[in-house]
Structure formats: C-alpha cells, structure tokens
Amino acid sequence: MALRPIVDLDSGAVLAIEAVYPAEEQHGEDVATLAERLGRTAREVMARENLLPLVLPVPARLLTAGREPFAFVEDTLRRSGRRPRDVTFMLDPEIRQLPREHLVRGLAHLRELGFRYAFGTARVPPDLLVETAPFLFRIDGTLTSGLPDNERFAAIVDGMTRIGRGAGTFPLASGVTSVTQLVSLRQAGVRLAQGPFFAGEDWAPGDRVTPLPDLTLDPASSDTAGGPRVSEFMVPAVTMTCDATAEEVLEAFSNDSALNSVILLDHRERPVAALDRARFLLSITGPYGHALYAKRPAQRLADPPKTVPRTVPALTALRIAGVDRERVYDDLIAVNEFGQCMGVVHVSDIIRGLSQA
C-alpha cells in the first residue's frame, strides 16, 4: 500500500497523507473482507504515520454494513492515541451506484462516530454534494489532466468547486503533473492537490515534496502593495466548542486578563461565533447577567466570526476589519484552506506593524 502526500497550494506544506491500494486490490470480495481490510489498513498506516491527518480508502459498499466496521476502526484509533476526526474515509466512485438512502444512512453513522468522509469523485449529483456535505471531494485525475485546455473539464472543476464551497466541502485535485494545471486549479479556487508533480512512487512520510514554483499561482494574491501577510501577526486562539457555557467563557477571561476573545468552533474546527471580551463581560456581569446566562450556551452572547484567510495581505485584513464600524477592533480569525481556525489577529498589532513598516 502506497502513501501519498496531500499538499496545500498556499504554503506548499503536506497537510495530510492518503493511503492508496494497489490497482489489483481495489475491489474486495464481500463486506466482511472489506471490513477486515479497512481495520488492517488503519493499523498499517498509523504505524507508518502518527502525526498528520490520514485519508483512508473505503469501498462505498462497506457503508451497507452499518456501524460495526467503523466502530472497530474508532477503537483502534483511540488505542493508538488518535482521534476519529484525524481520519477521513475516502469513499470510492462506486458511491454513484449506491442507493441514496443507503449512502445517507451510512454517512450518518460515520458522522456519529466522529469521522470525516470524502467522495472519491467529483462526478456526483450536485444536490447529493450539498445534502451530505462531505469534508472533501476528489477532482479525478482525468479532469485534472485536461486542464487548462479542455473547456468542458475546466467548467466541471469550476462548477463543482463553487458548489462545494457553498456546502462547506473542499475539492482535492488528483493527478497534478504540471505548473499550468496548478495555475488553472488555483484560479478555480482549489487549494488542495496531489500527484506526480509533488512526489514520486517511492515517497514516504517525512520525505520532502516538490516545492511550489516561485511564481505566484494565484494572480489575486499578488498584491505586493499589501506588505506583510496576516500570518505574520497571528497569535494562538483560545477556542471552545459550540456548546460551551457562558460560565466556561467567563472563567477563561478571568484567568487571562490579556485575553481579547474566545472563539467557538464546530465539529470541523471552523469558527462559528466569537465572544469579544468587553461586550461579553458587560452582558454577564450586569444586573442579573450571571443568573440569566451562566449555565446557558455562550453562543447566545456571541457575534458572527470575522474571518480572513491566513495568506491575505495585512492591509487587506485591515480593510475587512473596518467594514463593521461597531466591531472595528474585534479580533480577526485567521483560517486555513479548510476554513479551520489557525489563530487570531489583533487589529492593533496590524496597525502598529504597518505603521512601523
């Protein structure tokens, strides 16, 4: 079984590792055999890579077996010190043949166990992508190979990427072999890729991948007048889950007098709300505030998160901060290509940094 790197097209870093079966082992005999192989695959891959998130191949037919095969993998993960959300199950293209009710029910089982799941093809009905909201979907190598010259393929990539973005799903381009393909993918909004361009057949975890070329792949990011990037001002965020209580947030603010904000995250570690220190304390320490809110979800006192991509110029982030005049100095939340919280940025730090520059 080969391991392949999944590369972030913003930074050139390896974000995850995907396990790939040899071609002759793509099709299992029956559900029991498939379940046994999935458990064996999980153990083997975790023995070879114990840090980065993993993408494991799963025949779509295995979804018809219920929770048992995946519950076994969950137990294996936890015994190894890994969490279910560290693993994404990549369902093969046979999902197109699986009855929708079986597919939806099987995906619900994965979600209940805490796993992420992905579609191994972009050739699925758009409404299915929106309804099930997989974590990733694969842009097939046959589509990637036609970029940028094949207009039909380019339209599919662009269209499915837009639909995926609306559903909170991220496209993964496979089979990348050239810089021109990278340019086309970046222009379509794709931020994750893999293929021979990055690594050969003998690649192993810990090995280097081919660096991204020095040229700017995304013309929209070539704003040299923007100066330093937001990532240069990023500091760790204090985060909690969506169901955190106001009392828990109050304790966080009480324990750190320099803390400006607390960020509430969903199960995918994406920001869904932000609690500004001044406004939160004003609400909960006012008359009857503690009695009204302490035991209730803190999200009731939260504001929508102000997010910025971690790669944008700081000057652009400053403009974003100024859109809402009542929240100009709220912390900005820097997110990665998955929309996940990477840290916060204090607006005052940006102003100070730009003035010194």
Side-chain angles (χ1 to χ4, degrees):
M1 182 174 56
L3 300 183
R4 298 285 179 261
I6 295 176
V7 178
D8 172 12
L9 296 186
D10 281 335
S11 66
V14 177
L15 292 184
I17 293 177
E18 180 177 13
V20 181
Y21 290 132
E24 64 272 13
E25 295 184 14
Q26 289 292 326
H27 304 287
E29 295 295 331
D30 53 29
V31 167
T33 302
L34 296 176
E36 181 183 352
R37 185 174 65 174
L38 178 60
R40 187 171 63 249
T41 298
R43 291 192 297 272
E44 179 181 343
V45 175
M46 285 187 291
R48 296 169 64 183
E49 171 53 54
N50 58 7
L51 294 176
L52 289 173
L54 306 175
V55 179
L56 303 182
V58 176
R61 285 185 293 135
L62 193 55
L63 292 179
T64 63
R67 294 167 53 98
E68 287 74 14
F70 304 104
F72 173 73
V73 175
E74 180 199 23
D75 182 66
T76 301
L77 283 169
R78 295 192 184 281
R79 290 175 181 273
S80 303
R82 304 291 297 260
R83 302 166 297 179
R85 68 179 181 180
D86 292 335
V87 170
T88 299
F89 289 127
M90 180 67 76
L91 301 167
D92 66 17
E94 288 185 4
I95 55 173
R96 294 174 295 183
Q97 283 77 50
L98 201 65
R100 181 174 290 215
E101 61 272 17
H102 292 169
L103 176 61
V104 172
R105 184 166 57 249
L107 295 178
H109 291 156
L110 296 183
R111 195 159 43 240
E112 290 167 3
L113 290 168
F115 290 110
R116 292 168 171 164
Y117 52 85
F119 290 173
T121 176
R123 302 176 188 271
V124 295
D127 63 321
L128 178 63
L129 196 68
V130 173
E131 179 184 354
T132 57
F135 185 56
L136 301 169
F137 71 89
R138 188 193 302 282
I139 296 174
D140 313 62
T142 54
L143 293 175
T144 304
S145 65
L147 301 177
D149 300 323
N150 189 312
E151 294 184 1
R152 291 181 300 169
F153 287 1
I156 293 174
V157 171
D158 182 68
M160 293 302 292
T161 298
R162 289 174 182 269
I163 294 169
R165 186 181 302 122
T169 299
F170 305 97
L172 165 63
S174 295
V176 176
T177 59
S178 69
V179 174
T180 55
Q181 290 174 355
L182 287 175
V183 172
S184 183
L185 291 167
R186 288 292 296 268
Q187 290 174 345
V190 177
R191 292 295 179 268
L192 299 175
Q194 59 183 183
F197 178 88
F198 300 104
E201 295 292 327
D202 58 347
W203 186 88
D207 292 350
R208 294 180 179 273
V209 296
T210 302
L212 291 175
D214 291 336
L215 58 88
T216 301
L217 297 177
D218 186 354
S221 67
S222 61
D223 182 6
T224 56
R229 302 283 163 173
V230 157
S231 56
E232 298 183 30
F233 301 95
M234 194 167 65
V235 297
V238 172
T239 63
M240 296 184 182
T241 60
C242 294
D243 55 0
T245 64
E247 193 167 45
E248 291 172 325
V249 175
L250 178 60
E251 183 178 359
F253 282 129
S254 300
N255 291 337
D256 186 352
S257 60
L259 180 62
N260 286 350
S261 62
V262 171
I263 312 302
L264 303 182
L265 306 180
D266 65 10
H267 68 287
R268 292 186 175 184
E269 300 181 27
R270 299 176 303 186
V272 296
L275 293 142
D276 175 74
R277 180 187 188 91
R279 289 194 297 277
F280 174 81
L281 293 180
L282 185 62
S283 297
I284 202 167
T285 59
Y288 309 109
H290 192 275
L292 287 173
Y293 300 116
K295 300 298 183 181
R296 298 185 178 182
Q299 193 166 352
R300 294 188 176 194
L301 300 175
D303 297 296
K306 297 180 71 173
T307 61
V308 294
R310 62 180 177 179
T311 56
V312 301
L315 188 58
T316 301
L318 202 56
R319 295 192 190 106
I320 295 172
V323 170
D324 186 346
R325 295 186 178 183
E326 296 182 358
R327 300 176 57 198
V328 170
Y329 287 99
D330 281 17
D331 285 348
L332 298 173
I333 306 169
V335 297
N336 63 12
E337 58 288 331
F338 294 119
Q340 296 170 315
C341 176
M342 303 301 293
V344 296
V345 179
H346 304 318
V347 173
S348 58
D349 290 347
I350 298 179
I351 295 174
R352 188 180 304 110
L354 293 179
S355 64
Q356 292 174 351

